[in-house]
Amino acid sequence: MSSGVRTRVKICGITSAEDGLMVSKAGVDAIGLVFYDPSPRHVEIEQACLITKAMPAFVSKTALFVNPDEQYVRSVLENVQIDLLQFHGEESPEFCEQFDVAYMKAVRMREETNLEELSKCYASAAGLLLDAYKPGVPGGTGEQFNWDWVPSDCTLPIILAGGLTAENVAQAIRKVGPWAVDVSGGVEATKGVKAPDTVKLFMQQVMSTVE
């Protein structure tokens, strides 16, 4: 499925300014910073500041949280240049909205997931990020879910995540037609360290879907 416009790309789990610059030069539209302690890609506020300050113009900075404390989110926003919030837990629409910053809500996909209902519930969101469901794991599983579960007429923009790699991203875009794709582990050398050649190949595959 292609509209003649390149699908947007976010690379999540950036842990250094060097990697942030590298993926930016490769053509990504956004980077993701993980503010969740259990994650191997977690960044502290000071570290995140160094990364965001190194970013060139027109690369969006996303802050990822999982059931965070309100004050922690506010502390990140006060100290780090953030354009978009990403919530991966059981945060309510009211919680997500209170910061007056654009946000997207992650959904851990199962066959019975009702995206239209969630689109109404989180109508204020900038998009729904669809990830694989794994009990006890809020995201970043590196696993793929069944793309047939994604309706073609969802009200909110769809950001497709979950097990994406350079080998399957073109197929995913043609199948789902998402507004954007989100990748982390699929372009890494080791957890939290991105592989330049893999990032370039991933971007080339995304570009190949433009007709």
Side-chain angles (χ1 to χ4, degrees):
M1 198 184 299
S2 175
S3 60
V5 177
R6 175 174 71 78
T7 302
R8 278 75 176 171
V9 177
K10 170 174 163 277
I11 292 186
C12 201
I14 298 295
T15 59
S16 69
E18 292 76 16
D19 270 6
L21 279 171
M22 180 270 291
V23 302
S24 298
K25 289 174 181 176
V28 304
D29 303 277
I31 63 164
L33 303 170
V34 178
F35 294 95
Y36 178 56
D37 271 331
S39 171
R41 303 172 183 95
H42 169 76
V43 290
E44 299 291 346
I45 287 178
E46 184 178 350
Q47 186 180 3
C49 286
L50 295 174
I51 296 169
T52 56
K53 286 176 181 175
M55 291 301 95
F58 308 121
V59 176
S60 295
K61 284 84 71 178
T62 304
L64 184 157
F65 299 94
V66 182
N67 296 322
D69 175 83
E70 175 192 340
Q71 192 50 50
Y72 181 46
V73 179
R74 294 197 185 280
S75 180
V76 170
L77 290 173
E78 287 166 6
N79 292 283
V80 188
Q81 299 170 11
I82 295 298
D83 304 299
L84 183 71
L85 299 173
Q86 178 176 333
F87 293 108
H88 264 262
E90 286 73 50
E91 302 88 357
S92 68
E94 293 74 23
F95 183 90
C96 299
E97 292 165 2
Q98 68 180 312
F99 305 103
D100 294 322
V101 175
Y103 77 92
M104 58 182 173
K105 184 68 182 72
V107 178
R108 297 159 67 200
M109 289 294 291
R110 289 188 269 190
E111 188 171 6
E112 64 271 22
T113 301
N114 187 330
L115 289 181
E116 196 52 48
E117 188 177 298
L118 286 167
S119 294
K120 291 175 183 175
C121 182
Y122 292 92
S124 58
L128 295 178
L129 183 142
L130 311 186
D131 204 349
Y133 174 83
K134 187 174 183 179
V137 182
T141 65
E143 296 179 7
Q144 181 182 320
F145 66 89
N146 188 339
W147 298 329
D148 288 332
W149 297 342
V150 185
S152 59
D153 57 352
C154 192
T155 304
L156 288 176
I158 293 297
I159 298 91
L160 185 64
L164 295 178
T165 65
E167 285 69 40
N168 66 13
V169 68
Q171 178 191 1
I173 290 170
R174 293 189 174 100
K175 172 77 175 174
V176 178
W179 170 256
V181 291
D182 192 327
V183 64
S184 184
V187 292
E188 285 183 334
T190 58
K191 288 187 185 298
V193 179
K194 308 309 178 191
D197 289 344
T198 311
V199 170
K200 288 178 185 175
L201 184 57
F202 188 91
M203 293 303 298
Q204 288 168 1
Q205 290 301 306
V206 172
M207 287 297 298
S208 75
T209 64
V210 180
E211 297 171 358

